[in-house]
Amino acid sequence: RLLTSRRAPREQPVAPFLYYFPCQRWLAVEEDDGQIVRELVPVDEAFVKKDSENDGQSLATLGLEQKAKSTTYTVKVKTGDKKNAGTDANVFITLYGSKDDTGIVSLKASKINKNKFERGKVDEFTVESVDIGDLKKIKIGHDNKGNSTGWFLEWVEIDAPSLGQCLKFPCGRWLDKSEDDGAIERIIFPAELQTTEYIPFVPYEITIYTSDIFGAGTDADVFIVLYGSDAICTQQKSLCLNKREQRIYFERNSVNQFIVELEDVGDIIEKIRIGHNGGGLNSGWHLDRVAIRRLLPNGK
């Protein structure tokens, strides 16, 4: 008796789905927020095509789309006031949340000190990530490279405006192969009693139009304050992250867009306060108009 086998039908190949991950931002210590690694989230293909076909739109708006979907953390790191507490090694941090983690982030560009992680000093860094949920713990350490590698870490403070939380992660230990237990990285949990709660911030899309007249541009530090009803207002917020941005933004006849996390002033913005610090070689500024859009949590 002959047995015959029935061949299963061949599966049809599935057309590959194309994902678009625009960046349009610097990965450089001296540029933007100083990060050399970025997390990118996909955007719709129609958005990419619409942007690339529209001569009036800059591709930089794709980077703003990414930023609107990200959460910004301000990370402060205190080096202990002990002999040889500072380090020349490369320091990294990972933030762990209830949904995800940031991956390893190098703390390269301190916003306060040129020489970072010096004895008794506090350094400040900006970390951007997709939503990782509520912060649960951090891992911080260094690569043990350089002339003076041992490091005494006093504490880490992380301010997460979109969560409405500022958390303190106390350490008070060496990260040194020849001190303490020899570990050069540590997992640290927040101190609940040192956690500060406040109303979560929301992202605003702010578009600045500089006039088309002679000398209209400025190199000064431009800031803004938003006012809502019932005497609610935001903090005064600088729109540029560093002096290089001050030099390239707010030029004559330019349009500059920013995604800024600020206190939620509600659905109605009654007025704004905008100005600059008068610094730079050319501080005078002729402002044409400002457009502001309060973004919803999904970045729309």
Side-chain angles (χ1 to χ4, degrees):
R1 184 180 181 182
L2 297 175
L3 296 177
T4 59
S5 62
R6 180 175 296 173
R7 180 178 296 176
R10 180 179 297 175
E11 293 185 1
Q12 295 297 319
V14 179
F17 188 84
L18 188 59
Y19 291 85
Y20 291 89
F21 294 88
C23 184
Q24 296 296 323
R25 296 182 65 187
W26 285 98
L27 283 77
V29 175
E30 299 83 8
E31 307 286 355
D32 204 332
D33 58 4
Q35 290 299 317
I36 58 173
V37 178
R38 298 199 181 279
E39 286 190 350
L40 304 179
V41 293
V43 299
D44 188 82
E45 179 183 4
F47 184 92
V48 177
K49 289 185 175 179
K50 176 190 72 174
D51 193 80
S52 61
E53 293 170 358
N54 188 347
D55 293 335
Q57 288 280 337
S58 166
L59 285 175
T61 58
L62 292 172
L64 291 172
E65 178 80 359
Q66 288 278 6
K67 191 169 184 178
K69 294 181 179 181
S70 299
T71 299
T72 302
Y73 303 92
T74 297
V75 178
K76 293 184 178 179
V77 181
K78 171 67 183 297
T79 299
D81 191 8
K82 294 177 176 287
K83 184 179 179 180
N84 299 322
T87 185
D88 296 328
N90 297 304
V91 175
F92 61 84
I93 192 171
T94 303
L95 280 55
Y96 295 89
S98 56
K99 298 178 183 178
D100 202 350
D101 64 74
T102 61
I104 297 174
V105 178
S106 296
L107 300 181
K108 290 282 189 182
S110 173
K111 297 172 71 175
I112 300 176
N113 305 305
K114 183 176 181 181
N115 295 321
K116 53 191 182 294
F117 309 122
E118 294 293 315
R119 174 179 173 175
K121 300 292 186 180
V122 176
D123 292 288
E124 183 178 318
F125 305 88
T126 299
V127 174
E128 280 187 10
S129 172
V130 295
D131 182 20
I132 63 173
D134 294 332
L135 277 174
K136 297 298 184 182
K137 63 181 180 181
I138 64 172
K139 180 167 69 175
I140 188 166
H142 61 79
D143 61 3
N144 205 45
K145 294 181 180 179
N147 296 324
S148 177
T149 59
W151 185 35
F152 189 90
L153 173 62
E154 195 70 56
W155 48 257
V156 177
E157 181 183 273
I158 299 179
D159 190 9
S162 64
L163 300 177
Q165 283 188 330
C166 184
L167 300 96
K168 197 73 162 283
F169 296 79
C171 181
R173 297 183 67 178
W174 286 97
L175 283 76
D176 189 338
K177 287 193 172 183
S178 59
E179 298 282 354
D180 204 332
D181 59 358
I184 59 173
E185 65 177 39
R186 297 196 182 279
I187 292 177
I188 313 173
F189 294 88
E192 292 185 10
L193 295 179
Q194 293 180 281
T195 297
T196 304
E197 304 273 352
Y198 56 91
I199 298 174
F201 285 21
V202 297
Y204 288 89
E205 179 188 86
I206 300 176
T207 307
I208 308 292
Y209 298 82
T210 298
S211 302
D212 186 15
I213 64 174
F214 180 75
T218 183
D219 294 331
D221 183 16
V222 174
F223 61 80
I224 193 168
V225 182
L226 312 186
Y227 293 83
S229 57
D230 300 322
I232 298 174
C233 69
T234 69
Q235 62 181 287
Q236 181 172 299
K237 181 72 172 181
S238 293
L239 295 177
C240 292
L241 292 172
N242 51 49
K243 290 187 177 182
R244 180 188 178 277
E245 289 191 355
Q246 293 173 26
R247 290 193 299 269
I248 64 175
Y249 293 150
F250 312 119
E251 294 294 303
R252 173 179 175 174
N253 195 32
S254 66
V255 180
N256 301 117
Q257 276 192 319
F258 307 87
I259 301 294
V260 181
E261 289 182 342
L262 292 169
E263 296 91 339
D264 190 355
V265 299
D267 294 331
I268 299 176
I269 301 175
E270 293 195 341
K271 66 177 182 179
I272 66 171
R273 181 172 176 263
I274 189 167
H276 61 76
N277 67 347
L281 295 176
N282 302 291
S283 61
W285 184 34
H286 197 285
L287 172 63
D288 183 65
R289 65 190 188 275
V290 179
I292 301 177
R293 186 163 62 106
R294 177 173 174 265
L295 301 177
L296 298 176
N298 63 359
K300 300 299 183 183

